mmCIF file of all heavy atoms in Angstrom:
data_model
loop_
_atom_site.group_PDB
_atom_site.id
_atom_site.type_symbol
_atom_site.label_atom_id
_atom_site.label_comp_id
_atom_site.label_asym_id
_atom_site.label_seq_id
_atom_site.Cartn_x
_atom_site.Cartn_y
_atom_site.Cartn_z
ATOM 1 N N LEU A 90 -18.228 -13.029 -60.710
ATOM 2 C CA LEU A 90 -17.182 -14.041 -60.743
ATOM 3 C C LEU A 90 -16.909 -14.640 -59.364
ATOM 4 O O LEU A 90 -15.856 -15.282 -59.155
ATOM 5 C CB LEU A 90 -15.886 -13.497 -61.338
ATOM 6 C CG LEU A 90 -16.018 -12.862 -62.740
ATOM 7 C CD1 LEU A 90 -14.653 -12.300 -63.204
ATOM 8 C CD2 LEU A 90 -16.547 -13.871 -63.747
ATOM 9 N N ILE A 91 -17.819 -14.485 -58.433
ATOM 10 C CA ILE A 91 -17.666 -15.069 -57.094
ATOM 11 C C ILE A 91 -17.841 -16.577 -57.219
ATOM 12 O O ILE A 91 -18.773 -17.066 -57.835
ATOM 13 C CB ILE A 91 -18.681 -14.491 -56.092
ATOM 14 C CG1 ILE A 91 -18.456 -13.002 -55.900
ATOM 15 C CG2 ILE A 91 -18.645 -15.233 -54.772
ATOM 16 C CD1 ILE A 91 -19.548 -12.296 -55.111
ATOM 17 N N ASN A 92 -16.922 -17.328 -56.596
ATOM 18 C CA ASN A 92 -16.976 -18.793 -56.614
ATOM 19 C C ASN A 92 -16.480 -19.350 -55.286
ATOM 20 O O ASN A 92 -15.283 -19.379 -55.060
ATOM 21 C CB ASN A 92 -16.153 -19.351 -57.782
ATOM 22 C CG ASN A 92 -16.394 -20.841 -57.974
ATOM 23 O OD1 ASN A 92 -17.133 -21.469 -57.241
ATOM 24 N ND2 ASN A 92 -15.741 -21.389 -59.002
ATOM 25 N N GLU A 93 -17.403 -19.702 -54.421
ATOM 26 C CA GLU A 93 -17.058 -20.207 -53.082
ATOM 27 C C GLU A 93 -16.220 -19.199 -52.287
ATOM 28 O O GLU A 93 -15.061 -19.444 -51.987
ATOM 29 C CB GLU A 93 -16.369 -21.580 -53.172
ATOM 30 C CG GLU A 93 -17.208 -22.629 -53.819
ATOM 31 C CD GLU A 93 -16.533 -23.978 -53.877
ATOM 32 O OE1 GLU A 93 -16.130 -24.460 -52.809
ATOM 33 O OE2 GLU A 93 -16.418 -24.529 -54.984
ATOM 34 N N PRO A 94 -16.815 -18.070 -51.897
ATOM 35 C CA PRO A 94 -16.082 -17.014 -51.204
ATOM 36 C C PRO A 94 -15.835 -17.328 -49.738
ATOM 37 O O PRO A 94 -16.531 -16.869 -48.843
ATOM 38 C CB PRO A 94 -17.040 -15.815 -51.361
ATOM 39 C CG PRO A 94 -18.394 -16.432 -51.375
ATOM 40 C CD PRO A 94 -18.233 -17.727 -52.104
ATOM 41 N N TYR A 95 -14.798 -18.131 -49.496
ATOM 42 C CA TYR A 95 -14.542 -18.608 -48.134
ATOM 43 C C TYR A 95 -14.079 -17.485 -47.205
ATOM 44 O O TYR A 95 -14.434 -17.490 -46.040
ATOM 45 C CB TYR A 95 -13.487 -19.721 -48.162
ATOM 46 C CG TYR A 95 -14.104 -21.078 -48.236
ATOM 47 C CD1 TYR A 95 -14.546 -21.604 -49.455
ATOM 48 C CD2 TYR A 95 -14.291 -21.827 -47.085
ATOM 49 C CE1 TYR A 95 -15.146 -22.846 -49.476
ATOM 50 C CE2 TYR A 95 -14.892 -23.076 -47.135
ATOM 51 C CZ TYR A 95 -15.323 -23.577 -48.333
ATOM 52 O OH TYR A 95 -15.911 -24.789 -48.399
ATOM 53 N N TYR A 96 -13.260 -16.582 -47.646
ATOM 54 C CA TYR A 96 -12.757 -15.533 -46.795
ATOM 55 C C TYR A 96 -12.924 -14.178 -47.456
ATOM 56 O O TYR A 96 -12.739 -14.058 -48.669
ATOM 57 C CB TYR A 96 -11.281 -15.751 -46.436
ATOM 58 C CG TYR A 96 -11.086 -16.927 -45.539
ATOM 59 C CD1 TYR A 96 -10.935 -18.203 -46.084
ATOM 60 C CD2 TYR A 96 -11.101 -16.785 -44.165
ATOM 61 C CE1 TYR A 96 -10.789 -19.316 -45.265
ATOM 62 C CE2 TYR A 96 -10.958 -17.880 -43.340
ATOM 63 C CZ TYR A 96 -10.803 -19.139 -43.886
ATOM 64 O OH TYR A 96 -10.653 -20.216 -43.073
ATOM 65 N N LEU A 97 -13.253 -13.156 -46.661
ATOM 66 C CA LEU A 97 -13.459 -11.805 -47.143
ATOM 67 C C LEU A 97 -12.552 -10.857 -46.367
ATOM 68 O O LEU A 97 -12.176 -11.141 -45.240
ATOM 69 C CB LEU A 97 -14.906 -11.363 -46.954
ATOM 70 C CG LEU A 97 -15.986 -12.243 -47.548
ATOM 71 C CD1 LEU A 97 -17.360 -11.729 -47.176
ATOM 72 C CD2 LEU A 97 -15.849 -12.310 -49.080
ATOM 73 N N TRP A 98 -12.229 -9.732 -46.990
ATOM 74 C CA TRP A 98 -11.481 -8.664 -46.319
ATOM 75 C C TRP A 98 -12.013 -7.357 -46.851
ATOM 76 O O TRP A 98 -12.257 -7.212 -48.053
ATOM 77 C CB TRP A 98 -9.975 -8.786 -46.621
ATOM 78 C CG TRP A 98 -9.177 -7.741 -45.936
ATOM 79 C CD1 TRP A 98 -8.801 -6.533 -46.428
ATOM 80 C CD2 TRP A 98 -8.722 -7.780 -44.599
ATOM 81 N NE1 TRP A 98 -8.096 -5.808 -45.470
ATOM 82 C CE2 TRP A 98 -8.018 -6.578 -44.333
ATOM 83 C CE3 TRP A 98 -8.797 -8.723 -43.575
ATOM 84 C CZ2 TRP A 98 -7.446 -6.299 -43.130
ATOM 85 C CZ3 TRP A 98 -8.192 -8.456 -42.364
ATOM 86 C CH2 TRP A 98 -7.531 -7.254 -42.142
ATOM 87 N N VAL A 99 -12.242 -6.408 -45.979
ATOM 88 C CA VAL A 99 -12.622 -5.059 -46.382
ATOM 89 C C VAL A 99 -11.471 -4.144 -46.062
ATOM 90 O O VAL A 99 -11.042 -4.039 -44.898
ATOM 91 C CB VAL A 99 -13.914 -4.592 -45.668
ATOM 92 C CG1 VAL A 99 -14.308 -3.188 -46.118
ATOM 93 C CG2 VAL A 99 -15.076 -5.576 -45.942
ATOM 94 N N ASP A 100 -10.903 -3.510 -47.094
ATOM 95 C CA ASP A 100 -9.718 -2.690 -46.871
ATOM 96 C C ASP A 100 -10.100 -1.309 -46.388
ATOM 97 O O ASP A 100 -11.302 -0.990 -46.212
ATOM 98 C CB ASP A 100 -8.817 -2.657 -48.105
ATOM 99 C CG ASP A 100 -9.404 -1.908 -49.297
ATOM 100 O OD1 ASP A 100 -10.335 -1.103 -49.135
ATOM 101 O OD2 ASP A 100 -8.887 -2.133 -50.418
ATOM 102 N N SER A 101 -9.128 -0.453 -46.153
ATOM 103 C CA SER A 101 -9.360 0.878 -45.583
ATOM 104 C C SER A 101 -10.158 1.784 -46.506
ATOM 105 O O SER A 101 -10.711 2.779 -46.036
ATOM 106 C CB SER A 101 -8.038 1.513 -45.224
ATOM 107 O OG SER A 101 -7.230 1.706 -46.368
ATOM 108 N N THR A 102 -10.260 1.468 -47.788
ATOM 109 C CA THR A 102 -11.059 2.275 -48.719
ATOM 110 C C THR A 102 -12.471 1.742 -48.833
ATOM 111 O O THR A 102 -13.290 2.328 -49.557
ATOM 112 C CB THR A 102 -10.426 2.304 -50.124
ATOM 113 O OG1 THR A 102 -10.506 0.999 -50.702
ATOM 114 C CG2 THR A 102 -8.987 2.775 -50.079
ATOM 115 N N GLY A 103 -12.767 0.615 -48.180
ATOM 116 C CA GLY A 103 -14.091 0.021 -48.247
ATOM 117 C C GLY A 103 -14.228 -1.022 -49.352
ATOM 118 O O GLY A 103 -15.293 -1.634 -49.510
ATOM 119 N N LYS A 104 -13.165 -1.248 -50.101
ATOM 120 C CA LYS A 104 -13.173 -2.264 -51.159
ATOM 121 C C LYS A 104 -13.353 -3.625 -50.506
ATOM 122 O O LYS A 104 -12.698 -3.953 -49.505
ATOM 123 C CB LYS A 104 -11.906 -2.206 -51.980
ATOM 124 C CG LYS A 104 -11.942 -3.059 -53.244
ATOM 125 C CD LYS A 104 -10.613 -2.952 -54.006
ATOM 126 C CE LYS A 104 -10.313 -1.571 -54.426
ATOM 127 N NZ LYS A 104 -8.961 -1.473 -55.044
ATOM 128 N N ILE A 105 -14.229 -4.470 -51.069
ATOM 129 C CA ILE A 105 -14.543 -5.791 -50.526
ATOM 130 C C ILE A 105 -13.763 -6.831 -51.329
ATOM 131 O O ILE A 105 -13.960 -6.989 -52.521
ATOM 132 C CB ILE A 105 -16.061 -6.067 -50.642
ATOM 133 C CG1 ILE A 105 -16.840 -4.947 -49.992
ATOM 134 C CG2 ILE A 105 -16.405 -7.442 -50.041
ATOM 135 C CD1 ILE A 105 -18.302 -4.881 -50.440
ATOM 136 N N TRP A 106 -12.855 -7.555 -50.650
ATOM 137 C CA TRP A 106 -12.014 -8.561 -51.281
ATOM 138 C C TRP A 106 -12.556 -9.948 -50.942
ATOM 139 O O TRP A 106 -12.934 -10.199 -49.805
ATOM 140 C CB TRP A 106 -10.589 -8.449 -50.778
ATOM 141 C CG TRP A 106 -9.896 -7.193 -51.145
ATOM 142 C CD1 TRP A 106 -10.017 -5.970 -50.522
ATOM 143 C CD2 TRP A 106 -8.999 -7.019 -52.231
ATOM 144 N NE1 TRP A 106 -9.221 -5.058 -51.178
ATOM 145 C CE2 TRP A 106 -8.585 -5.672 -52.225
ATOM 146 C CE3 TRP A 106 -8.481 -7.888 -53.224
ATOM 147 C CZ2 TRP A 106 -7.682 -5.153 -53.147
ATOM 148 C CZ3 TRP A 106 -7.601 -7.363 -54.129
ATOM 149 C CH2 TRP A 106 -7.215 -6.018 -54.106
ATOM 150 N N SER A 107 -12.535 -10.842 -51.932
ATOM 151 C CA SER A 107 -13.027 -12.199 -51.716
ATOM 152 C C SER A 107 -11.970 -13.199 -52.223
ATOM 153 O O SER A 107 -11.499 -13.082 -53.364
ATOM 154 C CB SER A 107 -14.341 -12.415 -52.493
ATOM 155 O OG SER A 107 -14.756 -13.741 -52.437
ATOM 156 N N SER A 108 -11.636 -14.201 -51.407
ATOM 157 C CA SER A 108 -10.815 -15.301 -51.895
ATOM 158 C C SER A 108 -11.809 -16.394 -52.316
ATOM 159 O O SER A 108 -12.616 -16.850 -51.543
ATOM 160 C CB SER A 108 -9.840 -15.803 -50.833
ATOM 161 O OG SER A 108 -10.500 -16.388 -49.743
ATOM 162 N N ASN A 109 -11.755 -16.754 -53.579
ATOM 163 C CA ASN A 109 -12.685 -17.712 -54.167
ATOM 164 C C ASN A 109 -12.016 -19.073 -54.275
ATOM 165 O O ASN A 109 -11.188 -19.284 -55.161
ATOM 166 C CB ASN A 109 -13.123 -17.181 -55.539
ATOM 167 C CG ASN A 109 -13.769 -15.810 -55.406
ATOM 168 O OD1 ASN A 109 -14.826 -15.674 -54.806
ATOM 169 N ND2 ASN A 109 -13.151 -14.782 -55.971
ATOM 170 N N TRP A 110 -12.385 -19.956 -53.387
ATOM 171 C CA TRP A 110 -11.707 -21.231 -53.201
ATOM 172 C C TRP A 110 -11.863 -22.171 -54.381
ATOM 173 O O TRP A 110 -10.949 -22.917 -54.710
ATOM 174 C CB TRP A 110 -12.192 -21.870 -51.902
ATOM 175 C CG TRP A 110 -11.434 -23.079 -51.522
ATOM 176 C CD1 TRP A 110 -10.136 -23.166 -51.201
ATOM 177 C CD2 TRP A 110 -11.943 -24.397 -51.413
ATOM 178 N NE1 TRP A 110 -9.753 -24.430 -50.864
ATOM 179 C CE2 TRP A 110 -10.878 -25.239 -51.005
ATOM 180 C CE3 TRP A 110 -13.185 -24.974 -51.611
ATOM 181 C CZ2 TRP A 110 -11.030 -26.586 -50.778
ATOM 182 C CZ3 TRP A 110 -13.345 -26.333 -51.387
ATOM 183 C CH2 TRP A 110 -12.260 -27.127 -50.964
ATOM 184 N N SER A 111 -13.016 -22.232 -54.992
ATOM 185 C CA SER A 111 -13.261 -23.063 -56.188
ATOM 186 C C SER A 111 -13.056 -24.529 -55.963
ATOM 187 O O SER A 111 -12.381 -25.223 -56.761
ATOM 188 C CB SER A 111 -12.431 -22.565 -57.374
ATOM 189 O OG SER A 111 -12.729 -21.256 -57.695
ATOM 190 N N SER A 112 -13.585 -25.085 -54.877
ATOM 191 C CA SER A 112 -13.485 -26.510 -54.552
ATOM 192 C C SER A 112 -12.066 -27.031 -54.626
ATOM 193 O O SER A 112 -11.813 -28.136 -55.098
ATOM 194 C CB SER A 112 -14.412 -27.320 -55.459
ATOM 195 O OG SER A 112 -15.748 -27.003 -55.192
#
Side-chain angles (χ1 to χ4, degrees):
L90 305 178
I91 297 171
N92 190 358
E93 300 181 55
Y95 268 81
Y96 291 88
L97 304 175
W98 182 266
V99 180
D100 69 19
S101 61
T102 68
K104 191 181 299 174
I105 306 160
W106 294 82
S107 174
S108 66
N109 301 296
W110 187 63
S111 299
S112 295

